Amino acid sequence: MSKDWEDIKVNRRSNDKVVFESRFLQSIYDGIGYLKDETTEVLKEIDSDEFKQNLDDMDVQRFGETVINHFSDFADDLSKFKDEVINPDGVPEFIKQSSRDAKIALNRDEEYLRVARRKLDKVDSDDVDGAYELNSRVIQLCDKSIDLNNKNYEAYYLKGVALTNLEMYDEAVEEFFCSLALEDNVESKLAIANVNRLNKEFNDAINVYDSVLDDDPFGALKGKAYTYYDWQKYGQASKAFREANDIEELDEKSKKIWDECSL
């Protein structure tokens, strides 16, 4: 019996789960099952009595955006699955270049960044168990965007944010400097200051925050407040929080830390 035939043999375990001898075929089979389950869950939710009863009270526009985002994530998962099961090294160079040219013409690099931004928002807004996977996917999406357009400063910035979330600080700073080399943007400067704070390089962090006070006073003051708090200089932290709050109301997390500075 040939090896190829052995690869497609199927075993059935006691729980009736289909298991292929070939890891490649198993990946395809599991991926199809995942996509099927996702579709079933969405349709089940739409058809539920609770959904129908609350339809009149629902913010239809917001629901529409949620559904669109869900299916966009669904498509992104499918793209990720495709990337994992197809070895790009086996694709002829002229085909890869044609694909790259078509994606550039369709502004696909911006589409990659749009999905990356939404995944970072999800990391910030949810206490998710899959934070590592989400940040890793952001890095992958940014790399795809950079491959198509290596002049987009935001791709390097977003990649740096994801690397910071993964505590890969040296790599993150490199991406922020790449972003700044393409465009002098305050976001990357604040991000570098934040990495300095996380690395307990407090003097460097304060110096960078001071350098952007005129460009983004709220962001700089809030960053200084967190730096002084981590530095255990609570009086200076409280002062910076107060000055930031005078510009724009602080979020609840920052207010709670501000209160701790006054104890």
Side-chain angles (χ1 to χ4, degrees):
M1 187 175 293
S2 70
K3 184 178 183 301
D4 288 342
W5 175 249
E6 290 288 343
D7 283 346
I8 63 173
K9 285 177 62 178
V10 176
N11 295 328
R12 284 190 178 273
R13 304 286 168 84
S14 58
N15 59 2
D16 287 333
K17 179 180 179 180
V18 176
V19 180
F20 287 89
E21 298 291 336
S22 166
R23 292 183 180 179
F24 177 78
L25 292 178
Q26 188 67 49
S27 296
I28 293 176
Y29 180 83
D30 292 342
I32 292 172
Y34 166 76
L35 296 177
K36 180 180 177 182
D37 291 342
E38 285 287 296
T39 304
T40 301
E41 286 300 315
V42 173
L43 294 176
K44 186 187 300 182
E45 182 177 340
I46 292 175
D47 195 44
S48 67
D49 291 337
E50 182 180 359
F51 173 81
K52 294 173 182 176
Q53 291 170 2
N54 294 322
L55 184 60
D56 292 338
D57 300 327
M58 182 177 293
D59 184 336
V60 178
Q61 181 178 1
R62 182 178 179 183
F63 170 74
E65 291 173 354
T66 301
V67 171
I68 290 171
N69 287 341
H70 183 90
F71 278 104
S72 179
D73 287 340
F74 180 76
D76 180 58
D77 288 336
L78 178 60
S79 173
K80 179 182 177 183
F81 171 73
K82 178 206 68 176
D83 292 339
E84 290 173 348
V85 299
I86 298 177
N87 182 2
D89 293 336
V91 180
E93 184 59 38
F94 78 91
I95 293 180
K96 288 192 283 187
Q97 185 58 49
S98 297
S99 173
R100 188 179 294 110
D101 292 342
K103 290 175 179 177
I104 292 173
L106 294 170
N107 292 321
R108 190 64 192 277
D109 57 315
E110 288 294 340
E111 177 65 15
Y112 288 138
L113 295 185
R114 184 186 67 80
V115 178
R117 282 192 293 269
R118 194 168 69 249
K119 289 188 179 295
L120 282 176
D121 287 341
K122 188 173 183 180
V123 172
D124 290 339
S125 62
D126 296 339
D127 184 16
V128 290
D129 294 332
Y132 177 85
E133 289 75 12
L134 284 170
N135 283 298
S136 297
R137 182 56 175 160
V138 168
I139 293 169
Q140 185 182 49
L141 289 164
C142 290
D143 282 338
K144 286 175 175 289
S145 179
I146 292 168
D147 181 57
L148 295 175
N149 178 10
N150 62 8
K151 302 299 184 184
N152 190 328
Y153 80 93
E154 188 184 10
Y156 297 96
Y157 167 73
L158 294 177
K159 183 179 178 181
V161 172
L163 287 166
T164 302
N165 291 341
L166 295 176
E167 300 182 5
M168 300 172 67
Y169 300 134
D170 291 341
E171 295 87 343
V173 169
E174 288 181 11
E175 298 302 325
F176 295 137
F177 276 121
C178 286
S179 178
L180 285 169
L182 291 168
E183 183 166 322
D184 186 15
N185 64 95
V186 69
E187 294 86 1
S188 291
K189 292 178 182 178
L190 288 171
I192 290 171
N194 184 52
V195 171
N196 288 334
R197 176 181 70 85
L198 293 170
N199 270 330
K200 301 187 183 304
E201 297 168 348
F202 300 127
N203 275 318
D204 290 339
I206 294 298
N207 288 336
V208 178
Y209 283 127
D210 282 338
S211 73
V212 295
L213 268 172
D214 292 338
D215 299 314
D216 185 354
F218 176 76
L221 287 167
K222 182 178 174 182
K224 288 181 67 173
Y226 272 88
T227 303
Y228 283 129
Y229 176 79
D230 291 348
W231 206 350
Q232 298 183 1
K233 295 187 175 185
Y234 301 120
Q236 289 167 281
S238 181
K239 179 176 180 292
F241 275 128
R242 182 173 64 254
E243 291 175 351
N245 194 63
D246 287 342
I247 298 172
E248 179 182 325
E249 186 176 3
L250 292 167
D251 57 89
E252 292 303 316
K253 177 183 176 182
S254 298
K255 288 180 180 178
K256 184 176 179 180
I257 295 176
W258 184 11
D259 289 340
E260 291 178 13
C261 294
S262 303
L263 296 177

